[in-house]
Amino acid sequence: MSRYDTLNEKQKEAVYDTEGPLLILAGAGSGKTRVLTHRIAYLIEEKQVNPWNIMAITFTNKAAQEMRGRVDNLVGFGAESIWVATFHATCVRILRRYIDRLGYENRFTIYDVDDQKSVMKDVCKRLSIDTKTYKEKAILAAISSAKNELLTPEKYEKLIGGDYYKKKIAQAYWEYQKQLKSSNALDFDDLLMKTVELFQKNPDVLESYQERFRYIMIDEYQDTNTAQFQFVSLLAGKYQNLCVVGDDDQSIYKFRGANIQNILNFEKVFPNTKIVKLEQNYRSTQNILNAANGVIKNNVHRKEKTLWTQNEEGEKVKYKQFLNGFEEADYVTACVRKKVECEEAAYKDFAILYRTNAQSRMFEEKFLNANIPYKIIGGINFYARKEIKDILAYLKTIDNSRDDLAVRRIINVPKRGIGATTLTRVQDYAAENNISFYNALRYASEIPGIGRGVSKVEPFVTFLQSMKSKAEILSVKELIEDILEQTGYIEELRAERTDEALSRIENIDELINKAAAYEESAEHPSLSEFLEEVALVADIDNLNEQSDYVVMMTLHSAKGLEFPYVYMAGMEEGLFPSYMAIVSEDPTDLEEERRLCYVGMTRAMKELTVMSAMQRMVHGETQYSRPSRFLKEIPEEMVEIGNERKRNQVTREEREAAKQNIHAQARQAFKQKIFMPKNLEKQKKGELGYSEGDTVKHIKYGVGIVEKIEDGGRDYAVTVNFEKAGIKKLYAAFAKLKKL
């Protein structure tokens, strides 16, 4: 029996068709890596192709190692001569030999992200660029995007027209490249860009590699950017034996520069292309595939294909709609615990997928309380994230200024220009006088040799002293908001204009949500107790890090993975699809969100559960959302609603019940006592001291007019239109509004 007899008919077709351009549209779970490795074996064994004439390119080192291992096992002798590498590793090997043709020395340095930041910092100084307006990260992100599109500083400058912001970027781009060149260095984007430039300017070099690599295979082709596409096109230009494997329905990296048109227009760029569709899925049940097919067919810009399987029909997709995020996390926790206790599954069989990293917080807390082991993929645990640790360090310093670690963490976050020499002298003074680092800061003017550093230290101390006073009267949520406002922490992140910065802001919003929920449920809310609760939840050092754990990750991180049981959380309009995609003028943004949904659904092998909440905490406020449009796109006959309400059918009574119930949910979720503290007993509406239409004053937001007073269950929700802060929804017991 031939090794190729184990392949299905379409897989065999993809393996046997070796000459000319070939586009393999490989649906989710269709065995594309198996096809690529068998194709390599077939070229060597049956077509007598020399192993060194074969190139296979992947996107990640992990994928390259996996393919290399499979090729070695399949091919045996000669396998080591096959070029299996990532795009970047391939370009480095080429440039090491020929970059001198571009005026560089062959022993060039590759700069990592921190190196790039250091260079850009120097560039901004040289050009007198105001880094408060033009953040180094934002400039580097813009330069990276330009390089992905093969735009040199000169080409970029010609394209930008009269855009003042982009003119500054162009100036920085020129100087940045000049400094890299003088240092004989390249960044990661340069590796591809310079290789393309090398090929374009040196036909002899290009031809030598065209002769070397007569058979080229590219994995995950839907994720290629313009520079990668041009590199591949040049390399395959002579023999045209180019095989690309990908799935346009799984193109989800537009934010990284991926261009879906590379796969959609492949046959236009390479005439005589043969297309093979791998539609048989080996991963999921037919019901899961039918549901996923029903969603993705709503995209216009795609190549027609329908996944099918010989696996069992399986259970219908479960749809659960909850009142809020607490219920959502409770439900998943109960499901995992039940299946594991009944020995139906192990922890590692479960995955929780969500749109944003911030959504992990509630699941993390629930799992810790339930002693369920978990691991976050593609991110770090919520309370271990830099921005969360920064804000918590402020709170710790306010609560207990003897915490030297917390004080040292925030002294230059955001940057205050307090130099290393100053900090060393403060530390020495603290040690000599046996006082805390913070107390030493308070006596900065008495520390010898600190000089002008005093003028930087004193405002920091004054700020912390004022925050300590405010902590006596502000709620924890208000205190966090005040810290963010006074330090400009959020504004600095917004100015970066990067996806990473937006993600950090979302995480901070989730911390505010946590603080608001804590105050709703605590008997006697206090900053000390809040920090204690967070510290206990964040203490995951003793978590059993064996292979048996529930996996949590964003939908972007889930690509290429599979799990028997998948829970897709937060499927609400504005969250998934994201608000930015909904309001975008570019319809392809919404299509990419739908592809992301398709990727999530096709991770499931046995059971898929999709979930939405009627209300969710956003920026510390309760917001109501409609279920995601993607839920409506799942064929009705594929969905098991059971005792849950029908999709999108939320009555007015239920919305009111949700408002009444939010506080009870918070109490249950955070294991707090459920009775009211005496000093915060709910007053009668007439005892508030003000009514709708009255002018009131708030200690933080100033003067405003009461627009609405609503019964929020445990307390009254008061909507106030403040003169400076705008409209705010506050709880009466915490707001302490005074009528003027």
Side-chain angles (χ1 to χ4, degrees):
M1 179 178 169
S2 165
R3 70 175 66 181
Y4 308 107
D5 291 340
T6 60
L7 304 172
N8 67 41
E9 290 307 308
K10 284 293 180 182
Q11 288 176 331
K12 286 178 184 175
E13 191 180 340
V15 167
Y16 298 157
D17 201 303
T18 59
E19 308 305 307
L22 174 67
L23 170 59
I24 302 174
L25 291 172
S30 62
K32 65 182 177 68
T33 306
R34 183 176 171 78
V35 168
L36 281 176
T37 51
H38 278 75
R39 196 169 189 273
I40 291 170
Y42 184 78
L43 282 168
I44 295 169
E45 293 174 351
E46 305 297 329
K47 290 291 185 176
Q48 307 303 309
V49 174
N50 292 320
W52 54 86
N53 288 144
I54 300 171
M55 166 188 265
I57 295 183
T58 65
F59 265 79
T60 65
N61 289 320
K62 183 183 175 186
Q65 287 163 9
E66 183 188 344
M67 188 177 289
R68 165 60 69 195
R70 289 210 206 177
V71 168
D72 289 349
N73 290 334
L74 209 57
V75 175
F77 181 76
E80 70 282 353
S81 301
I82 302 165
W83 188 304
V84 182
T86 63
F87 272 104
H88 289 106
T90 297
C91 291
V92 169
R93 285 172 70 176
I94 293 170
L95 292 172
R96 286 285 181 217
R97 287 192 66 186
Y98 292 107
I99 200 171
D100 56 311
R101 303 275 191 104
L102 299 178
Y104 288 77
E105 292 178 18
N106 296 82
R107 298 180 62 145
F108 58 85
T109 302
I110 301 170
Y111 276 179
D112 63 16
V113 174
D114 288 334
D115 296 325
Q116 288 178 265
K117 287 178 188 171
S118 298
V119 173
M120 187 51 67
K121 194 174 181 181
D122 187 45
V123 165
C124 291
K125 274 185 186 174
R126 288 187 183 213
L127 299 178
S128 300
I129 292 174
D130 182 2
T131 52
K132 290 180 182 176
T133 307
Y134 305 93
K135 294 288 174 186
E136 288 108 327
K137 273 190 180 180
I139 298 172
L140 285 168
I143 290 172
S144 178
S145 296
K147 289 182 178 183
N148 286 340
E149 293 299 318
L150 295 175
L151 296 175
T152 60
E154 187 178 13
K155 288 178 182 175
Y156 180 79
E157 198 169 49
K158 285 179 181 176
L159 280 175
I160 58 176
D163 188 314
Y164 182 77
Y165 179 82
K166 288 184 178 177
K167 278 185 177 179
K168 284 287 183 186
I169 302 286
Q171 287 177 11
Y173 188 5
W174 276 107
E175 185 62 28
Y176 173 75
Q177 286 304 110
K178 185 179 171 185
Q179 288 208 30
L180 257 63
K181 182 78 180 287
S182 67
S183 302
N184 196 42
L186 304 179
D187 63 22
F188 276 95
D189 296 314
D190 280 330
L191 296 175
L192 273 155
M193 193 174 179
K194 292 297 179 186
T195 306
V196 170
E197 184 185 342
L198 175 71
F199 285 167
Q200 289 172 334
K201 291 182 176 178
N202 299 274
D204 61 319
V205 175
L206 174 59
E207 188 177 8
S208 71
Y209 281 104
Q210 288 174 337
E211 286 296 332
R212 165 79 192 271
F213 302 121
R214 298 190 181 197
Y215 292 87
I216 301 169
M217 279 159 272
I218 313 291
D219 194 11
E220 303 285 7
Y221 192 68
Q222 76 279 349
D223 295 332
T224 53
N225 60 31
T226 301
Q228 289 160 336
F229 165 77
Q230 192 63 35
F231 169 75
V232 171
S233 300
L234 287 166
L235 213 49
K238 185 171 184 178
Y239 289 101
Q240 299 278 304
N241 295 326
L242 174 62
C243 167
V244 300
V245 185
D247 182 5
D248 52 304
D249 288 336
Q250 296 187 72
S251 178
I252 57 173
Y253 295 121
K254 183 180 178 182
F255 67 96
R256 291 184 190 165
N259 185 354
I260 193 173
Q261 297 305 319
N262 290 349
I263 194 166
L264 293 178
N265 296 330
F266 184 79
E267 62 268 41
K268 294 177 183 175
V269 178
F270 295 94
N272 305 316
T273 292
K274 180 168 182 180
I275 300 176
V276 177
K277 295 181 183 180
L278 302 182
E279 296 172 291
Q280 182 176 355
N281 175 284
Y282 292 91
R283 174 187 299 153
S284 308
T285 63
Q286 190 60 57
N287 273 330
I288 289 171
L289 296 181
N290 289 343
N293 288 334
V295 172
I296 199 63
K297 74 178 184 182
N298 290 279
N299 272 3
V300 176
H301 301 93
R302 67 182 290 259
K303 291 183 180 289
E304 188 63 37
K305 67 183 101 49
T306 303
L307 293 184
W308 62 277
T309 185
Q310 289 182 343
N311 295 342
E312 61 182 359
E313 187 177 20
E315 295 189 25
K316 291 183 177 181
V317 173
K318 293 180 174 68
Y319 169 57
K320 302 290 182 184
Q321 185 182 45
F322 303 102
L323 292 174
N324 51 47
F326 301 115
E327 276 193 3
E328 181 183 59
D330 260 340
Y331 172 77
V332 176
T333 304
C335 286
V336 172
R337 182 191 279 157
K338 182 181 176 183
K339 278 187 165 62
V340 172
E341 285 177 354
C342 295
E343 297 186 353
E344 289 180 36
Y347 290 121
K348 63 184 177 184
D349 294 333
F350 298 89
I352 303 167
L353 309 181
Y354 34 74
R355 182 63 182 84
T356 66
N357 272 315
Q359 288 170 261
S360 73
R361 193 266 296 177
M362 216 164 284
F363 290 102
E364 289 185 64
E365 295 192 356
K366 289 289 182 185
F367 277 25
L368 282 166
N369 286 334
N371 290 319
I372 293 174
Y374 69 89
K375 184 174 183 179
I376 294 178
I377 305 292
I380 56 174
N381 292 51
F382 182 80
Y383 293 110
R385 291 167 185 156
K386 179 188 181 301
E387 58 279 8
I388 301 303
K389 291 181 80 171
D390 286 346
I391 305 308
L392 290 176
Y394 270 105
L395 294 178
K396 287 175 184 176
T397 301
I398 292 164
D399 188 55
N400 172 26
S401 55
R402 292 182 65 180
D403 187 340
D404 285 359
L405 197 64
V407 180
R408 286 201 297 267
R409 181 181 181 92
I410 60 169
I411 195 163
N412 268 320
V413 177
K415 290 176 183 173
R416 296 183 173 89
I418 301 173
T421 304
T422 298
L423 294 178
T424 301
R425 284 181 176 153
V426 171
Q427 185 63 58
D428 291 344
Y429 184 84
E432 287 165 11
N433 292 276
N434 198 27
I435 58 175
S436 70
F437 186 80
Y438 179 73
N439 277 335
L441 289 172
R442 293 174 65 191
Y443 298 110
S445 59
E446 298 176 22
I447 299 174
I450 203 168
R452 288 181 295 178
V454 175
S455 63
K456 305 282 178 63
V457 169
E458 286 182 342
F460 173 67
V461 172
T462 303
F463 163 70
L464 286 177
Q465 288 297 110
S466 70
M467 295 308 297
K468 281 174 176 287
S469 301
K470 288 181 180 180
E472 300 295 320
I473 48 176
L474 296 183
S475 68
V476 180
K477 172 179 171 286
E478 289 170 337
L479 193 62
I480 293 171
E481 289 172 336
D482 208 14
I483 290 166
L484 294 170
E485 186 179 318
Q486 297 289 333
T487 60
Y489 196 101
I490 294 285
E491 289 306 313
E492 190 168 279
L493 285 174
R494 283 198 186 113
E496 286 182 15
R497 302 188 186 188
T498 63
D499 289 297
E500 182 189 355
L502 288 173
S503 179
R504 286 176 183 266
I505 292 170
E506 288 169 353
N507 290 335
I508 291 169
D509 285 342
E510 189 61 14
L511 181 64
I512 294 171
N513 293 343
K514 163 66 181 172
Y518 157 75
E519 280 158 359
E520 288 296 305
S521 55
E523 182 183 348
H524 296 289
S526 71
L527 177 57
S528 297
E529 190 183 73
F530 173 75
L531 288 169
E532 181 183 310
E533 179 171 306
V534 167
L536 291 172
V537 170
D539 186 14
I540 57 165
D541 293 336
N542 297 321
L543 190 66
N544 189 3
E545 282 292 324
Q546 55 180 315
S547 61
D548 194 23
Y549 41 67
V550 179
V551 170
M552 300 183 201
M553 70 188 92
T554 63
L555 288 148
H556 281 102
S557 299
K559 194 160 162 290
L561 303 175
E562 59 183 36
F563 304 90
Y565 303 94
V566 169
Y567 296 85
M568 290 175 63
M571 295 197 68
E572 299 128 34
E573 289 289 291
L575 184 55
F576 188 38
S578 70
Y579 175 74
M580 296 304 290
I582 292 171
V583 301
S584 173
E585 294 178 3
D586 184 353
T588 63
D589 288 343
L590 193 56
E591 292 211 347
E592 176 141 338
E593 290 284 295
R594 188 175 283 109
R595 291 195 292 272
L596 196 55
C597 180
Y598 175 79
V599 165
M601 295 175 77
T602 53
R603 299 311 95 197
M605 300 164 74
K606 287 173 66 177
E607 284 184 22
L608 171 64
T609 303
V610 290
M611 305 177 294
S612 67
M614 292 165 59
Q615 59 185 28
R616 207 172 279 276
M617 286 277 242
V618 180
H619 303 292
E621 308 286 345
T622 301
Q623 289 191 4
Y624 295 87
S625 301
R626 289 183 290 120
S628 169
R629 66 192 67 196
F630 302 147
L631 294 171
K632 296 184 224 173
E633 294 170 357
I634 301 174
E636 193 77 35
E637 64 274 14
M638 295 297 122
V639 183
E640 177 192 301
I641 311 250
N643 294 325
E644 302 292 325
R645 57 187 60 78
K646 292 288 183 184
R647 290 179 290 177
N648 308 315
Q649 292 181 1
V650 181
T651 65
R652 182 180 299 175
E653 290 78 13
E654 285 174 322
R655 285 189 182 277
E656 286 305 313
K659 291 179 186 177
Q660 302 283 340
N661 201 34
I662 180 67
H663 314 304
Q665 294 296 325
R667 286 193 292 271
Q668 182 184 0
F670 293 101
K671 305 283 185 188
Q672 299 290 338
K673 295 180 182 179
I674 58 174
F675 54 83
M676 280 286 296
K678 288 180 182 178
N679 61 331
L680 288 177
E681 294 261 344
K682 181 178 174 181
Q683 300 164 284
K684 292 180 181 177
K685 196 169 182 179
E687 295 175 354
L688 292 175
Y690 50 84
S691 55
E692 291 176 3
D694 285 346
T695 301
V696 294
K697 186 174 183 180
H698 184 271
I699 191 164
K700 175 183 174 185
Y701 299 125
V703 177
I705 296 173
V706 178
E707 292 192 344
K708 194 186 295 182
I709 301 175
E710 302 167 282
D711 193 338
R714 203 192 83 174
D715 196 3
Y716 287 102
V718 185
T719 303
V720 185
N721 191 344
F722 291 102
E723 291 175 1
K724 293 183 179 178
I727 296 174
K728 299 283 182 183
K729 193 172 185 179
L730 311 165
Y731 287 107
F734 296 112
K736 299 182 178 67
L737 298 171
K738 291 186 179 178
K739 183 178 175 180
L740 297 179

